[in-house]
Amino acid sequence: MRLSQKFQKLFTRDAAESLWEHAGRWTHPVSPRRILATIDKGELVRLREHYPYRPNARKINAYEDADYWVGVNVKRVQDPWLDRSRPLEILDLGCGPGYFLYLCRLFGHEGLGLDLDDDPFFRGTTKFFGINRVVARINAHEPLPELGQRFDLVTAHRVCFHRIARRENAEWLEWTEADWKFFINDVRTRFLKPDGRLLLEFNRRADGSSFFTPKLRAFFNSQGGRIVRWKALLAADPAERPRFKQI
């Protein structure tokens, strides 16, 4: 790679946004070590022994590895300023093992998880972390279950519920823009408080490119979304374009 190309890579939008995220974390540091001191890591290992990996399951996500997942979720707390905001009521869609909501509670927030109940290990870890969880599946063009309350923040990390099936070429058949519009409207009208926020974090695509294709980026922008790297932040009011530090 030529030197000029390397400099061009350094000054991409992604690089600039990454630098901004890191700067925010540096100016308000959070100690993973202090958080890890509150977790019985031995109990997580025992839970994994009790609920071993399913046959053919990928071990890339070793959720019993508290050191790794606390590190990941410290960033998830820092980036939307949850480590320095007022106490919030948070709904986490696809809450998985419960690390994110556990950290949120340490910073004074109240959380509720929503996820499938097809992984016994997650059932054990959410109980271990004391996470309240609603069991439900998120499907296209289907309202989320009634939860009896509204939230300051609705989150979803490493979103997978928009994937419908794999095509023959191994690429995913995904939700359409109409599916996303229904989901966003459902969250806005039934689950967000008037000043609430919806924060979606996506995986990169198999080729390493952004989830936000030009078409999807235009769509989320049309819904009032603020896109930063692989995350989209939307306000309860479609006419408002929110900022992360305003959560």
Side-chain angles (χ1 to χ4, degrees):
M1 182 184 291
R2 294 179 180 178
L3 186 60
S4 60
Q5 292 176 311
K6 291 182 179 180
F7 276 111
Q8 287 177 356
K9 190 174 181 180
L10 283 173
F11 293 101
T12 61
R13 172 188 290 184
D14 186 73
E17 291 173 344
S18 175
L19 181 61
W20 179 257
E21 284 182 337
H22 281 82
R25 297 169 193 159
W26 292 332
T27 55
H28 291 84
V30 172
S31 171
R33 182 182 300 178
R34 293 180 63 183
I35 294 171
L36 285 166
T38 70
I39 298 173
D40 182 351
K41 292 190 283 185
E43 181 60 24
L44 289 173
V45 173
R46 286 188 288 272
L47 279 170
R48 175 54 77 193
E49 291 172 350
H50 187 68
Y51 301 115
Y53 289 99
R54 289 172 291 183
N56 302 320
R58 295 188 305 165
K59 297 184 180 180
I60 187 171
N61 294 327
Y63 289 106
E64 67 273 21
D65 184 355
D67 293 61
Y68 175 76
W69 285 106
V70 165
V72 168
N73 283 280
V74 161
K75 295 174 183 177
R76 288 175 177 170
V77 166
Q78 287 178 298
D79 290 346
W81 290 41
L82 297 179
D83 57 321
R84 66 204 91 159
S85 73
R86 61 181 174 82
L88 304 176
E89 292 180 302
I90 299 172
L91 171 63
D92 189 30
L93 304 176
C95 62
Y99 283 102
F100 174 69
L101 289 178
Y102 176 71
L103 266 67
C104 286
R105 189 168 70 238
L106 293 181
F107 286 98
H109 309 296
E110 293 185 13
L112 176 67
L114 185 147
D115 209 340
L116 301 174
D117 191 33
D118 59 357
D119 191 326
F121 181 72
F122 287 178
R123 194 181 311 141
T125 55
T126 50
K127 183 178 180 181
F128 169 70
F129 286 125
I131 304 303
N132 293 322
R133 185 179 70 152
V134 173
V135 175
R137 179 183 294 276
I138 302 173
N139 291 318
H141 273 271
E142 290 184 13
L144 295 175
E146 182 57 52
L147 301 177
Q149 69 178 109
R150 290 179 178 264
F151 300 87
D152 300 291
L153 176 64
V154 176
T155 58
H157 300 103
R158 297 192 178 184
V159 174
C160 293
F161 53 73
H162 66 297
R163 294 172 174 173
I164 301 170
R166 281 194 185 273
R167 296 187 174 97
E168 291 184 1
N169 62 2
E171 293 184 356
W172 283 100
L173 175 65
E174 300 178 355
W175 282 6
T176 64
E177 291 179 16
D179 297 329
W180 277 116
K181 189 171 184 177
F182 181 95
F183 168 78
I184 292 169
N185 183 66
D186 187 43
V187 172
R188 278 174 161 160
T189 57
R190 297 176 55 229
F191 297 99
L192 289 182
K193 295 180 182 180
D195 59 349
R197 301 286 187 264
L198 169 62
L199 175 59
L200 302 172
E201 174 195 295
F202 294 94
N203 293 293
R204 289 187 179 276
R205 298 189 178 277
D207 63 0
S209 63
S210 171
F211 164 80
F212 296 105
T213 61
K215 189 175 181 181
L216 280 171
R217 183 177 291 273
F219 166 75
F220 277 93
N221 281 331
S222 75
Q223 298 300 302
R226 180 175 297 277
I227 298 173
V228 177
R229 306 192 76 193
W230 48 78
K231 298 184 285 288
L233 183 68
L234 301 102
D237 181 357
E240 179 185 353
R241 195 172 299 277
R243 293 185 179 275
F244 281 84
K245 66 180 181 180
Q246 294 173 333
I247 292 179

